[in-house]
Amino acid sequence: MGVKLTDVAKKAGVSATTVSRVINHYGYLSQKTIDKVHKAMEELNYQPNSMARSLQGKDTQLIGLIFPTVSHPFFGELASKIETKLFEKGYKTILCDSADNKEKERDYLKMLAANKVDGIIAGAHNLGIPEYQNVELPIISFDRYLAEGIPIVSSDSYQGGRLATEHLYQRGGRKIAILTGTNESNSPTNQRLEGYLSVLKERDLEPIVYHFPPDHSPFLKSTEIRQILSRKDIDSIFCTDDLTAILVLNKAQELGLEIPGDLKVIGYDGTTFIQNYFPQLSTVLQPMDQFVDLLIDLLMKRINHANAELDKLYQLPVKFVQGQTS
Amino acid sequence: MGVKLTDVAKKAGVSATTVSRVINHYGYLSQKTIDKVHKAMEELNYQPNSMARSLQGKDTQLIGLIFPTVSHPFFGELASKIETKLFEKGYKTILCDSADNKEKERDYLKMLAANKVDGIIAGAHNLGIPEYQNVELPIISFDRYLAEGIPIVSSDSYQGGRLATEHLYQRGGRKIAILTGTNESNSPTNQRLEGYLSVLKERDLEPIVYHFPPDHSPFLKSTEIRQILSRKDIDSIFCTDDLTAILVLNKAQELGLEIPGDLKVIGYDGTTFIQNYFPQLSTVLQPMDQFVDLLIDLLMKRINHANAELDKLYQLPVKFVQGQTS
């Protein structure tokens, strides 16, 4: 057990700093150097023990990730990209699917605090979690207000709502409905509705707003969408997420509605998954890669300097993507 | 810092065992008891420190999860359910998206071993990772051969391949193609092709086999699917995953093929996501919840008894689900 980092350095013919950089995936290193160090580590059976490092008061190199669920393509993609980028920086990711379960989210925060993770990225949808106020860890929020002093990374939902609605108007839509969530959460996402309302006001059109509670199953949503479409009193629908837009397209097909002739449909999110498997869907594209970069950059700032001055809200731009449904 | 578990028990008016059970999410407890204990813990600011427990030689309560990527609906759903169930058992989940990146998977195994997680569930698609042979941790594999002595949880892919192909035959298919991956990985999944071949042989039909390498992007796959469909020399396609089936349906629509009249299509996997958002797709349903239960049960057996006698391969039954595409 007496193998030290300096033994590895000697064996590999590099400096101890270089070995440390290889272990911590830090700084520029040639593949040749990386291979040499790995080879020496293997030959000496040297294993950097992050728990041991943590005992010495150094970081455990763990980041907690709290999202509603990675079974949703948007959060699956976000979590996958965050995990990959954190790994490149030498961090491992503890996954918490809060599953819209407030007690689980609270338990998780306590467990993460007790385990002394280095930081947390949280984008859960539960409300009223006082622990966020009390947990003394660097936390960055994705798209949700969590507590005073926790910066939010988001995209320009107001502009996204405007882009989608204005596009539907330009394509001839005059009876434009919006299908969105309930406004219970104090989230920048609600601004999509505000953007929609602002365009309708400018165009002197009547808003047609449908709210779906977050606990509605896709089946229940589908049933309600079918009722809405059966009334045939709208010509356009802006869905504030792509999956709801897919349900609308499915029900429109069942009812024999022609897309976009009888009904124009626009979604929201534009994940790689949707672009690959539903390229026909018009949607508002959220900047996934920029979210990942910014969330991690801000978290690293807070990890390195607990009092780093950060903005309250970072809003990244969105893009409209024209498909064949509008 | 002197708050002890017994202080919490006293304050809550319950036994120390009950407090321990609440902390470890173990055994039956009424919501009232849970609330009382949580309240006492909060009032006393008591935090069970799992790192401290680990220093006492007890487990760290961490499980590593290695899957290709949670951005894929199948693995996203599997990871989400595993994480949720592990949490109920008092374990946290470290996520590793191996992303078909062999070096990342090797690095991860070393990091997990160094961090002394309690066990690993691995379903990655990379081959030739000698670390699986050497890592001295309880490991259970999902649907892949990893190394001697690592049990595999899988479903009956041979039967699944037979069910899909036989169904296409019964619906009138006589020129039945299969779109599948390349057979590089030593995986039970390859049995889907074997099942297909066995039915074609029994029915005295010519096999039409298309292999897609795993590094093919959905776009490249789509292009090749369009070429295959343009030849108009097949009447049925069995895709060994649902996402490929969706690409087939998209391209068939572009080419004006009628489904199922001109072309019958069957997918494979049948995730909740597919059932919710593509209810029209005929598919072979893998038993997701049973996978989760069995993976965790086997892992717990190995964690509790390192030499627990386990089978080499556990094959759960699959079901055919009739949609409107066949």
Side-chain angles (χ1 to χ4, degrees), chain A residues 39 56 320:
Chain A
K39 191 159 170 277
Q56 295 153 24
F320 176 71

Side-chain angles (χ1 to χ4, degrees), chain A residues 1-15:
Chain A
M1 290 303 288
V3 183
K4 288 191 296 285
L5 189 129
T6 46
D7 301 329
V8 177
K10 201 173 164 192
K11 180 118 195 160
V14 300
S15 70

Side-chain angles (χ1 to χ4, degrees), chain A residues 107-226:
Chain A
D107 276 4
Y108 234 105
L109 273 172
K110 288 181 208 165
M111 285 168 84
L112 290 175
N115 270 280
K116 295 190 181 57
V117 296
D118 297 83
I120 294 173
I121 294 173
H125 290 189
N126 303 311
L127 285 174
I129 311 251
E131 280 77 4
Y132 280 111
Q133 200 68 69
N134 307 327
V135 171
E136 297 214 357
L137 275 171
I139 304 180
I140 308 292
S141 164
F142 175 70
D143 212 26
R144 289 292 178 277
Y145 175 82
L146 294 177
E148 191 64 32
I150 299 181
I152 303 172
V153 169
S154 182
S155 62
D156 192 343
S157 292
Y158 181 79
Q159 185 59 17
R162 282 193 58 88
L163 280 172
T165 314
E166 184 62 27
H167 170 82
L168 289 169
Y169 181 84
Q170 295 296 344
R171 303 293 281 186
R174 292 299 176 269
K175 288 175 271 176
I176 307 172
I178 185 169
L179 302 194
T180 188
T182 45
N183 275 18
E184 288 154 18
S185 69
N186 194 347
S187 151
T189 304
N190 298 336
Q191 294 293 316
R192 293 174 199 170
L193 173 60
E194 298 303 319
Y196 160 86
L197 291 173
S198 76
V199 171
L200 285 213
K201 197 175 175 189
E202 283 168 26
R203 298 297 184 180
D204 209 17
L205 296 174
E206 202 62 43
I208 309 165
V209 182
Y210 293 102
H211 290 288
F212 289 125
D215 58 354
H216 261 37
S217 69
F219 181 79
L220 190 49
K221 261 179 155 174
S222 291
T223 309
E224 292 184 21
I225 287 168
R226 202 186 153 93

Side-chain angles (χ1 to χ4, degrees), chain A residues 42 48-51 54 69 80 83 87 92-95 97 104 107-108 110 114-116 250 277-278, chain B residues 25 42 48-51 54 69 80 83 87 92-93 95 97 104 108 110 114-116 250 277-278:
Chain A
E42 264 161 42
N49 188 323
S50 65
M51 188 157 291
S54 145
T69 172
S80 167
E83 185 276 340
F87 179 79
K92 288 184 290 310
T93 300
I94 292 188
L95 176 68
D97 269 22
K104 187 175 175 196
D107 276 4
Y108 234 105
K110 288 181 208 165
N115 270 280
K116 295 190 181 57
N250 288 345
Y277 296 99
F278 287 90
Chain B
H25 304 263
E42 266 160 42
N49 188 324
S50 65
M51 187 157 294
S54 145
T69 172
S80 167
E83 185 275 338
F87 179 79
K92 289 184 292 309
T93 300
L95 177 69
D97 268 23
K104 187 176 174 195
Y108 233 104
K110 288 180 207 163
N115 270 279
K116 298 189 178 56
N250 288 345
Y277 296 100
F278 285 91

